[in-house]
Coordinates of all heavy atoms in Angstrom, one line a residue:
M1 N 41.0 24.7 -123.7 CA 41.0 25.8 -124.6 C 40.4 27.0 -124.0 O 39.3 26.9 -123.3 CB 40.2 25.4 -125.9 CG 40.2 26.4 -127.0 SD 39.2 26.0 -128.4 CE 37.6 26.7 -127.8
L2 N 41.0 28.2 -124.3 CA 40.4 29.5 -123.9 C 39.6 30.1 -125.0 O 40.1 30.1 -126.1 CB 41.6 30.4 -123.5 CG 41.3 31.9 -123.3 CD1 40.3 32.1 -122.2 CD2 42.6 32.6 -123.1
L3 N 38.4 30.5 -124.7 CA 37.6 31.2 -125.7 C 37.5 32.7 -125.2 O 37.1 32.9 -124.1 CB 36.2 30.6 -125.8 CG 35.2 31.3 -126.6 CD1 35.7 31.5 -128.1 CD2 33.9 30.5 -126.7
L4 N 38.0 33.6 -126.1 CA 37.9 35.0 -125.8 C 36.5 35.5 -126.1 O 36.3 35.8 -127.3 CB 39.0 35.7 -126.5 CG 40.4 35.3 -126.1 CD1 41.4 35.9 -127.1 CD2 40.8 35.7 -124.7
G5 N 35.6 35.7 -125.2 CA 34.3 36.1 -125.4 C 33.3 34.9 -125.2 O 33.8 33.8 -124.8
V6 N 32.1 35.0 -125.5 CA 31.1 33.9 -125.3 C 30.4 33.5 -126.6 O 29.2 33.3 -126.7 CB 30.1 34.3 -124.2 CG1 30.7 34.3 -122.9 CG2 29.4 35.7 -124.5
T7 N 31.1 33.5 -127.7 CA 30.6 33.2 -129.0 C 30.0 31.7 -129.0 O 30.7 30.8 -128.9 CB 31.7 33.3 -130.1 OG1 32.4 34.5 -129.8 CG2 31.1 33.2 -131.5
P8 N 28.6 31.6 -129.1 CA 28.0 30.3 -129.0 C 28.6 29.3 -130.0 O 28.8 28.1 -129.7 CB 26.5 30.6 -129.3 CG 26.4 32.0 -129.0 CD 27.7 32.7 -129.3
E9 N 28.9 29.8 -131.3 CA 29.3 28.9 -132.3 C 30.7 28.2 -132.0 O 31.0 27.2 -132.5 CB 29.5 29.7 -133.6 CG 28.3 30.2 -134.2 CD 27.9 31.6 -133.6 OE1 28.5 32.0 -132.7 OE2 26.9 32.1 -134.1
L10 N 31.4 28.8 -131.0 CA 32.7 28.3 -130.7 C 32.7 27.6 -129.3 O 33.8 27.1 -128.9 CB 33.8 29.4 -130.7 CG 33.9 30.2 -132.0 CD1 34.9 31.4 -131.8 CD2 34.4 29.3 -133.1
A11 N 31.6 27.5 -128.7 CA 31.5 27.0 -127.3 C 32.0 25.6 -127.2 O 32.8 25.3 -126.2 CB 30.1 27.1 -126.8
D12 N 31.6 24.7 -128.1 CA 32.1 23.3 -127.9 C 33.1 22.9 -128.9 O 33.2 21.8 -129.3 CB 30.9 22.4 -127.9 CG 30.1 22.5 -129.2 OD1 30.5 23.3 -130.1 OD2 29.1 21.8 -129.4
L13 N 33.9 23.9 -129.3 CA 35.0 23.6 -130.3 C 36.1 22.7 -129.6 O 36.6 21.9 -130.3 CB 35.7 25.0 -130.7 CG 36.6 25.0 -131.8 CD1 35.9 24.5 -133.1 CD2 37.2 26.4 -132.0
G14 N 36.3 23.0 -128.4 CA 37.4 22.2 -127.7 C 36.8 21.1 -126.9 O 35.6 20.9 -126.7
H15 N 37.7 20.2 -126.3 CA 37.2 19.2 -125.4 C 36.9 19.7 -124.0 O 36.1 19.2 -123.3 CB 38.3 18.1 -125.3 CG 38.6 17.4 -126.6 ND1 37.7 16.7 -127.3 CD2 39.7 17.5 -127.4 CE1 38.3 16.3 -128.4 NE2 39.5 16.8 -128.5
D16 N 37.6 20.8 -123.7 CA 37.5 21.4 -122.3 C 37.7 22.9 -122.5 O 38.8 23.4 -122.6 CB 38.5 20.8 -121.4 CG 38.4 21.4 -120.0 OD1 37.4 22.1 -119.7 OD2 39.3 21.1 -119.2
T17 N 36.6 23.6 -122.6 CA 36.7 25.1 -123.0 C 36.3 26.0 -121.8 O 35.3 25.7 -121.1 CB 35.7 25.4 -124.2 OG1 36.2 24.6 -125.3 CG2 35.8 26.8 -124.5
I18 N 37.1 27.0 -121.6 CA 36.7 28.0 -120.6 C 36.6 29.4 -121.4 O 37.6 29.8 -122.1 CB 37.7 28.1 -119.5 CG1 37.3 29.2 -118.5 CG2 39.2 28.4 -119.9 CD1 37.9 29.2 -117.1
A19 N 35.4 29.9 -121.4 CA 35.2 31.2 -122.0 C 35.3 32.3 -121.0 O 34.9 32.2 -119.9 CB 33.8 31.2 -122.6
V20 N 36.0 33.4 -121.4 CA 36.2 34.6 -120.5 C 35.6 35.8 -121.2 O 35.9 36.1 -122.3 CB 37.7 34.8 -120.2 CG1 37.9 36.0 -119.4 CG2 38.3 33.6 -119.5
D21 N 34.7 36.4 -120.5 CA 34.0 37.6 -121.0 C 33.8 38.6 -119.8 O 33.4 38.1 -118.7 CB 32.6 37.2 -121.6 CG 32.1 38.3 -122.5 OD1 31.9 39.5 -122.1 OD2 32.0 38.1 -123.7
R22 N 34.0 39.8 -120.0 CA 33.8 40.8 -119.0 C 32.4 41.2 -118.7 O 32.1 41.8 -117.7 CB 34.6 42.1 -119.4 CG 34.0 42.8 -120.6 CD 34.4 44.2 -121.0 NE 35.7 44.6 -120.6 CZ 36.4 45.5 -121.3 NH1 35.8 46.0 -122.4 NH2 37.5 45.9 -120.9
N23 N 31.5 40.8 -119.6 CA 30.1 41.3 -119.5 C 29.2 40.2 -119.0 O 28.9 39.3 -119.7 CB 29.7 41.8 -120.9 CG 28.4 42.5 -120.9 OD1 27.4 42.0 -120.4 ND2 28.3 43.7 -121.5
E24 N 28.6 40.4 -117.8 CA 27.8 39.4 -117.2 C 26.5 39.2 -118.0 O 26.1 38.0 -118.1 CB 27.4 39.9 -115.8 CG 28.5 39.7 -114.8 CD 28.1 39.8 -113.4 OE1 26.9 39.6 -113.1 OE2 29.0 40.1 -112.6
S25 N 26.0 40.2 -118.6 CA 24.7 40.0 -119.4 C 25.0 39.2 -120.7 O 24.2 38.4 -121.1 CB 24.0 41.3 -119.7 OG 24.8 42.1 -120.4
M26 N 26.2 39.4 -121.2 CA 26.6 38.5 -122.4 C 26.7 37.1 -122.0 O 26.2 36.2 -122.6 CB 27.9 39.0 -123.0 CG 27.8 40.3 -123.7 SD 26.8 40.2 -125.3 CE 27.9 39.3 -126.4
I27 N 27.2 36.8 -120.8 CA 27.4 35.5 -120.3 C 26.0 34.9 -120.0 O 25.6 33.8 -120.4 CB 28.2 35.4 -119.0 CG1 29.7 35.8 -119.3 CG2 28.2 34.0 -118.4 CD1 30.6 36.0 -118.1
A28 N 25.1 35.7 -119.4 CA 23.7 35.3 -119.1 C 22.9 35.0 -120.3 O 22.1 34.1 -120.3 CB 23.1 36.3 -118.2
H29 N 23.0 35.9 -121.3 CA 22.1 35.8 -122.4 C 22.6 35.3 -123.7 O 21.8 34.8 -124.6 CB 21.5 37.3 -122.7 CG 20.9 37.9 -121.5 ND1 19.7 37.3 -120.9 CD2 21.3 38.9 -120.7 CE1 19.4 38.0 -119.8 NE2 20.4 39.0 -119.7
I30 N 23.9 35.3 -123.9 CA 24.5 34.8 -125.2 C 25.1 33.4 -125.0 O 25.0 32.5 -125.9 CB 25.5 35.8 -125.8 CG1 24.8 37.2 -126.0 CG2 26.2 35.3 -127.0 CD1 23.8 37.2 -127.1
W31 N 25.8 33.2 -123.9 CA 26.5 31.9 -123.7 C 25.4 30.8 -123.6 O 24.4 31.0 -123.0 CB 27.3 32.0 -122.3 CG 28.0 30.8 -122.0 CD1 27.8 30.0 -120.9 CD2 29.1 30.2 -122.7 NE1 28.7 28.9 -120.9 CE2 29.5 29.0 -122.0 CE3 29.8 30.5 -123.9 CZ2 30.5 28.2 -122.4 CZ3 30.8 29.7 -124.3 CH2 31.2 28.6 -123.6
P32 N 25.7 29.7 -124.3 CA 24.6 28.7 -124.4 C 24.5 27.9 -123.1 O 23.6 27.0 -123.0 CB 25.2 27.8 -125.5 CG 26.6 28.0 -125.6 CD 26.8 29.5 -125.2
G33 N 25.3 28.2 -122.1 CA 25.2 27.5 -120.8 C 26.4 26.6 -120.6 O 26.9 26.0 -121.6
D34 N 26.8 26.4 -119.4 CA 27.9 25.5 -119.0 C 27.5 24.1 -119.2 O 26.4 23.7 -119.0 CB 28.4 25.8 -117.6 CG 28.9 27.2 -117.4 OD1 29.1 27.9 -118.4 OD2 29.3 27.5 -116.2
T35 N 28.5 23.3 -119.7 CA 28.3 21.9 -119.8 C 29.5 21.2 -119.3 O 30.4 21.8 -118.8 CB 28.1 21.4 -121.3 OG1 29.4 21.7 -121.9 CG2 27.0 22.2 -122.0
A36 N 29.6 19.9 -119.4 CA 30.8 19.1 -119.0 C 32.0 19.5 -119.8 O 33.1 19.4 -119.4 CB 30.5 17.6 -119.1
R37 N 31.7 20.1 -121.0 CA 32.8 20.4 -121.9 C 33.2 21.9 -122.0 O 34.2 22.3 -122.5 CB 32.4 20.0 -123.3 CG 32.4 18.5 -123.6 CD 32.1 18.2 -125.0 NE 33.0 18.9 -125.9 CZ 33.0 18.6 -127.2 NH1 32.2 17.6 -127.6 NH2 33.8 19.2 -128.1
C38 N 32.3 22.8 -121.5 CA 32.6 24.2 -121.6 C 31.9 25.0 -120.5 O 30.8 24.6 -120.0 CB 32.1 24.7 -123.0 SG 30.4 24.5 -123.3
R39 N 32.6 26.0 -120.1 CA 32.0 26.9 -119.0 C 32.5 28.3 -119.3 O 33.5 28.6 -119.9 CB 32.4 26.4 -117.6 CG 33.9 26.4 -117.4 CD 34.3 25.6 -116.2 NE 35.7 25.5 -116.1 CZ 36.5 26.3 -115.5 NH1 36.0 27.4 -114.9 NH2 37.8 26.2 -115.4
A40 N 31.7 29.3 -118.8 CA 32.0 30.7 -119.0 C 32.3 31.3 -117.6 O 31.6 31.0 -116.7 CB 30.9 31.4 -119.7
V41 N 33.3 32.2 -117.6 CA 33.6 32.9 -116.4 C 33.7 34.4 -116.7 O 34.1 34.8 -117.8 CB 34.9 32.5 -115.7 CG1 34.8 31.0 -115.3 CG2 36.1 32.7 -116.6
K42 N 33.4 35.3 -115.7 CA 33.6 36.7 -115.9 C 35.0 37.1 -115.7 O 35.7 36.6 -114.8 CB 32.7 37.4 -114.9 CG 32.6 38.9 -115.1 CD 31.5 39.5 -114.2 CE 31.4 41.0 -114.4 NZ 32.5 41.8 -113.9
G43 N 35.6 37.8 -116.6 CA 37.0 38.3 -116.5 C 37.4 39.2 -117.6 O 36.7 39.3 -118.6
E44 N 38.6 39.8 -117.4 CA 39.2 40.7 -118.3 C 40.3 39.9 -119.1 O 41.1 39.2 -118.5 CB 39.8 41.9 -117.6 CG 38.8 42.9 -117.1 CD 38.2 43.7 -118.2 OE1 38.8 43.8 -119.3 OE2 37.0 44.1 -118.0
W45 N 40.3 40.1 -120.4 CA 41.3 39.4 -121.3 C 42.7 39.9 -120.9 O 43.6 39.1 -121.0 CB 41.0 39.6 -122.7 CG 39.7 39.1 -123.2 CD1 38.9 38.1 -122.6 CD2 39.0 39.5 -124.4 NE1 37.8 37.9 -123.3 CE2 37.8 38.7 -124.4 CE3 39.2 40.4 -125.4 CZ2 36.9 38.9 -125.4 CZ3 38.3 40.6 -126.4 CH2 37.2 39.8 -126.4
V46 N 42.8 41.1 -120.5 CA 44.2 41.7 -120.3 C 44.7 41.3 -118.9 O 45.8 41.6 -118.5 CB 44.3 43.2 -120.5 CG1 44.0 43.5 -121.9 CG2 43.3 43.9 -119.5
A47 N 43.8 40.6 -118.1 CA 44.2 40.0 -116.8 C 43.4 38.8 -116.6 O 42.5 38.7 -115.8 CB 43.9 41.1 -115.7
L48 N 43.8 37.7 -117.4 CA 43.0 36.5 -117.4 C 43.0 35.8 -116.1 O 44.0 35.6 -115.4 CB 43.5 35.6 -118.5 CG 43.3 36.0 -119.9 CD1 44.2 35.2 -120.9 CD2 41.8 35.9 -120.3
P49 N 41.8 35.3 -115.7 CA 41.7 34.6 -114.4 C 42.1 33.1 -114.5 O 41.4 32.2 -114.2 CB 40.2 34.7 -114.1 CG 39.5 34.8 -115.4 CD 40.5 35.5 -116.3
L50 N 43.3 32.9 -115.1 CA 43.8 31.6 -115.4 C 45.2 31.4 -114.9 O 46.0 32.4 -114.9 CB 43.7 31.3 -116.9 CG 42.4 31.4 -117.6 CD1 42.5 31.3 -119.1 CD2 41.5 30.2 -117.1
E51 N 45.6 30.2 -114.5 CA 46.9 29.9 -114.0 C 47.9 29.9 -115.2 O 47.5 29.7 -116.4 CB 47.0 28.5 -113.4 CG 46.2 28.4 -112.1 CD 46.7 29.4 -111.1 OE1 48.0 29.5 -110.9 OE2 45.9 30.2 -110.5
P52 N 49.2 30.1 -115.0 CA 50.2 30.0 -116.0 C 50.1 28.6 -116.7 O 49.9 27.6 -116.1 CB 51.5 30.2 -115.3 CG 51.2 30.9 -114.1 CD 49.8 30.5 -113.7
Q53 N 50.3 28.7 -118.1 CA 50.3 27.5 -118.8 C 49.2 26.5 -118.5 O 49.4 25.3 -118.5 CB 51.7 26.8 -118.6 CG 52.8 27.6 -119.2 CD 54.2 27.2 -118.7 OE1 54.3 26.2 -118.0 NE2 55.2 27.9 -119.2
S54 N 48.0 27.1 -118.4 CA 46.8 26.2 -118.0 C 46.0 25.9 -119.2 O 45.0 25.1 -119.1 CB 46.0 26.9 -116.9 OG 45.6 28.2 -117.4
V55 N 46.2 26.5 -120.4 CA 45.4 26.2 -121.6 C 46.4 25.8 -122.7 O 47.6 26.2 -122.7 CB 44.5 27.3 -122.0 CG1 43.5 27.7 -120.9 CG2 45.3 28.5 -122.4
S56 N 45.9 25.0 -123.6 CA 46.8 24.6 -124.8 C 46.4 25.3 -126.1 O 47.1 25.1 -127.1 CB 46.7 23.1 -124.9 OG 45.4 22.6 -125.1
A57 N 45.3 26.1 -126.0 CA 44.9 26.8 -127.2 C 44.0 28.0 -126.8 O 43.4 27.9 -125.7 CB 44.1 25.9 -128.2
A58 N 44.0 29.0 -127.7 CA 43.1 30.1 -127.4 C 42.4 30.5 -128.8 O 43.1 30.4 -129.8 CB 43.8 31.3 -126.9
V59 N 41.1 30.9 -128.7 CA 40.4 31.3 -129.9 C 39.5 32.4 -129.6 O 39.1 32.6 -128.4 CB 39.6 30.0 -130.5 CG1 38.5 29.6 -129.5 CG2 39.1 30.3 -131.8
G60 N 39.1 33.2 -130.6 CA 38.2 34.3 -130.4 C 37.7 34.8 -131.8 O 38.5 34.8 -132.7
D61 N 36.5 35.3 -131.9 CA 36.0 35.8 -133.2 C 36.1 37.4 -133.1 O 35.3 38.0 -132.3 CB 34.6 35.3 -133.5 CG 33.6 36.0 -132.7 OD1 33.8 36.1 -131.4 OD2 32.6 36.4 -133.2
G62 N 37.0 38.0 -133.8 CA 37.1 39.4 -133.8 C 37.4 40.0 -132.4 O 37.1 41.1 -132.1
S63 N 38.0 39.1 -131.5 CA 38.3 39.6 -130.2 C 39.4 40.7 -130.1 O 39.2 41.7 -129.5 CB 38.8 38.4 -129.3 OG 37.7 37.4 -129.3
L64 N 40.4 40.5 -130.9 CA 41.5 41.5 -130.9 C 40.9 42.9 -131.4 O 41.3 43.9 -130.9 CB 42.6 41.1 -131.9 CG 43.6 40.1 -131.3 CD1 44.7 39.7 -132.3 CD2 44.3 40.7 -130.0
S65 N 39.9 42.8 -132.3 CA 39.4 44.1 -132.8 C 38.6 44.8 -131.7 O 38.2 46.0 -131.9 CB 38.5 43.8 -134.0 OG 37.4 43.0 -133.6
A66 N 38.4 44.2 -130.6 CA 37.7 44.9 -129.5 C 38.7 45.6 -128.6 O 38.3 46.2 -127.6 CB 36.9 43.8 -128.6
L67 N 40.0 45.5 -128.9 CA 41.0 46.0 -128.0 C 41.8 47.1 -128.7 O 41.9 47.1 -130.0 CB 42.0 44.9 -127.6 CG 41.3 43.8 -126.8 CD1 42.4 42.7 -126.5 CD2 40.7 44.2 -125.5
T68 N 42.3 48.0 -128.0 CA 43.2 49.1 -128.6 C 44.5 48.5 -129.0 O 45.0 47.5 -128.4 CB 43.5 50.2 -127.5 OG1 44.2 49.7 -126.4 CG2 42.2 50.9 -127.0
F69 N 45.1 49.1 -130.0 CA 46.4 48.8 -130.5 C 47.4 49.9 -130.3 O 47.0 51.1 -130.6 CB 46.3 48.4 -132.0 CG 47.7 48.1 -132.6 CD1 48.3 46.8 -132.5 CD2 48.4 49.1 -133.2 CE1 49.5 46.6 -133.0 CE2 49.7 48.8 -133.7 CZ 50.2 47.6 -133.6
P70 N 48.6 49.7 -129.9 CA 49.2 48.5 -129.5 C 48.9 48.1 -128.0 O 49.2 47.0 -127.6 CB 50.7 48.7 -129.7 CG 50.8 50.1 -129.4 CD 49.6 50.8 -129.9
S71 N 48.4 49.0 -127.2 CA 48.4 48.8 -125.7 C 47.6 47.6 -125.3 O 48.3 46.6 -124.9 CB 47.7 50.1 -125.1 OG 47.5 49.8 -123.7
E72 N 46.3 47.5 -125.5 CA 45.6 46.4 -124.9 C 45.9 45.1 -125.7 O 46.0 44.0 -125.1 CB 44.1 46.7 -125.0 CG 43.6 47.7 -124.0 CD 42.1 48.0 -124.2 OE1 41.6 47.9 -125.3 OE2 41.5 48.4 -123.2
Q73 N 46.1 45.2 -127.0 CA 46.4 44.0 -127.8 C 47.7 43.4 -127.3 O 47.9 42.2 -127.1 CB 46.5 44.3 -129.3 CG 45.1 44.6 -129.8 CD 45.1 44.7 -131.3 OE1 46.1 44.4 -132.0 NE2 44.0 45.1 -131.9
G74 N 48.7 44.3 -127.0 CA 50.0 43.8 -126.5 C 49.8 43.1 -125.1 O 50.4 42.0 -124.9
R75 N 49.0 43.7 -124.3 CA 48.7 43.1 -122.9 C 48.0 41.7 -123.1 O 48.3 40.8 -122.4 CB 48.0 44.0 -122.0 CG 48.8 45.3 -121.6 CD 47.9 46.4 -121.0 NE 47.2 46.0 -119.8 CZ 46.2 46.6 -119.3 NH1 45.7 47.7 -120.0 NH2 45.6 46.2 -118.2
L76 N 47.0 41.6 -124.0 CA 46.4 40.4 -124.2 C 47.4 39.3 -124.7 O 47.4 38.2 -124.2 CB 45.2 40.5 -125.2 CG 44.7 39.2 -125.7 CD1 44.1 38.4 -124.6 CD2 43.6 39.4 -126.8
L77 N 48.2 39.7 -125.6 CA 49.2 38.7 -126.2 C 50.2 38.3 -125.1 O 50.5 37.1 -125.0 CB 49.9 39.3 -127.4 CG 49.0 39.5 -128.6 CD1 49.7 40.3 -129.7 CD2 48.4 38.2 -129.1
S78 N 50.5 39.2 -124.2 CA 51.4 38.8 -123.1 C 50.6 37.8 -122.2 O 51.2 36.8 -121.7 CB 51.8 40.0 -122.3 OG 52.5 40.9 -123.1
E79 N 49.4 38.1 -122.0 CA 48.6 37.1 -121.1 C 48.4 35.8 -121.8 O 48.5 34.8 -121.1 CB 47.2 37.7 -120.9 CG 47.1 38.7 -119.7 CD 47.3 38.0 -118.4 OE1 48.5 37.9 -118.0 OE2 46.4 37.4 -117.8
L80 N 48.3 35.8 -123.1 CA 48.2 34.5 -123.8 C 49.5 33.7 -123.7 O 49.5 32.5 -123.5 CB 47.8 34.7 -125.3 CG 46.4 35.3 -125.5 CD1 46.1 35.5 -127.0 CD2 45.3 34.3 -125.0
A81 N 50.6 34.5 -123.8 CA 51.9 33.8 -123.6 C 52.0 33.2 -122.2 O 52.6 32.2 -122.0 CB 53.0 34.8 -123.9
R82 N 51.4 33.9 -121.2 CA 51.5 33.4 -119.9 C 50.6 32.1 -119.6 O 51.1 31.1 -119.1 CB 51.0 34.5 -118.9 CG 51.0 34.1 -117.4 CD 50.5 35.2 -116.5 NE 49.1 35.5 -116.7 CZ 48.2 34.8 -116.1 NH1 48.5 33.8 -115.3 NH2 46.9 35.1 -116.3
V83 N 49.4 32.1 -120.2 CA 48.5 31.0 -119.9 C 48.6 29.8 -120.8 O 48.0 28.8 -120.6 CB 47.0 31.5 -119.8 CG1 46.9 32.6 -118.7 CG2 46.5 32.0 -121.1
Ligands
LIG101 C1 34.3 38.4 -128.9 S1 34.2 40.1 -129.0 C2 33.8 40.4 -130.7 C3 32.4 40.0 -131.1 C4 32.1 40.3 -132.6 N1 32.7 39.2 -133.4 C5 32.6 41.6 -133.1 O1 33.5 41.6 -134.0 O2 32.0 42.6 -132.7 C6 32.7 40.6 -128.1 C7 32.6 40.0 -126.7 O3 33.9 40.3 -126.1 C8 33.7 40.8 -124.8 N2 34.9 41.6 -124.5 C9 35.3 42.7 -125.2 N3 36.4 43.2 -124.7 C10 36.7 42.4 -123.6 C11 37.8 42.4 -122.7 N4 38.8 43.3 -122.7 N5 37.8 41.5 -121.7 C12 36.8 40.6 -121.6 N6 35.8 40.5 -122.5 C13 35.7 41.4 -123.5 C14 32.4 41.6 -124.9 O4 31.8 41.6 -123.6 C15 31.6 40.8 -125.9 O5 30.8 39.8 -125.2

């Protein structure tokens, strides 16, 4: 599962979660820490550091609201379609 951002409440929602966030200090201070079930990586949602069709679900809390419409939201949705 892909998590858009490092929302602690959603960290262990999936069996195998990868959280993507552009902000290192959010990863350092908000992310609850990597475990066998979840890990966080630094990256941009509009250019996800993930292989095609490598996740089976994506989730985020208010993630789309952090992006411009239609430009960035469109690029994120294309990226979600890809991964
Ligand atoms: C999940 S969003 C929304 C959080 C909150 N629910 C809100 O509505 O304000 C906030 C997080 O997303 C990250 N973020 C925002 N835009 C991003 C982008 N384009 N790529 C990667 N991370 C991004 C920020 O660094 C931040 O940690």
Side-chain angles (χ1 to χ4, degrees):
M1 184 184 88
L2 165 63
L3 173 54
L4 298 170
V6 285
T7 313
E9 295 85 354
L10 302 176
D12 58 3
L13 191 62
H15 298 295
D16 179 9
T17 298
I18 180 163
V20 177
D21 199 299
R22 63 168 29 151
N23 187 311
E24 286 194 19
S25 59
M26 286 295 283
I27 295 173
H29 303 295
I30 300 295
W31 181 244
D34 294 355
T35 67
R37 288 180 56 166
C38 60
R39 59 195 172 89
V41 298
K42 186 168 182 291
E44 285 288 335
W45 297 341
V46 295
L48 289 165
L50 299 172
E51 294 300 316
Q53 294 166 1
S54 56
V55 298
S56 55
V59 65
D61 73 317
S63 301
L64 279 177
S65 61
L67 302 177
T68 61
F69 175 84
S71 168
E72 288 175 334
Q73 290 189 11
R75 289 167 62 198
L76 168 61
L77 295 173
S78 301
E79 275 294 89
L80 292 179
R82 180 181 68 81
V83 302

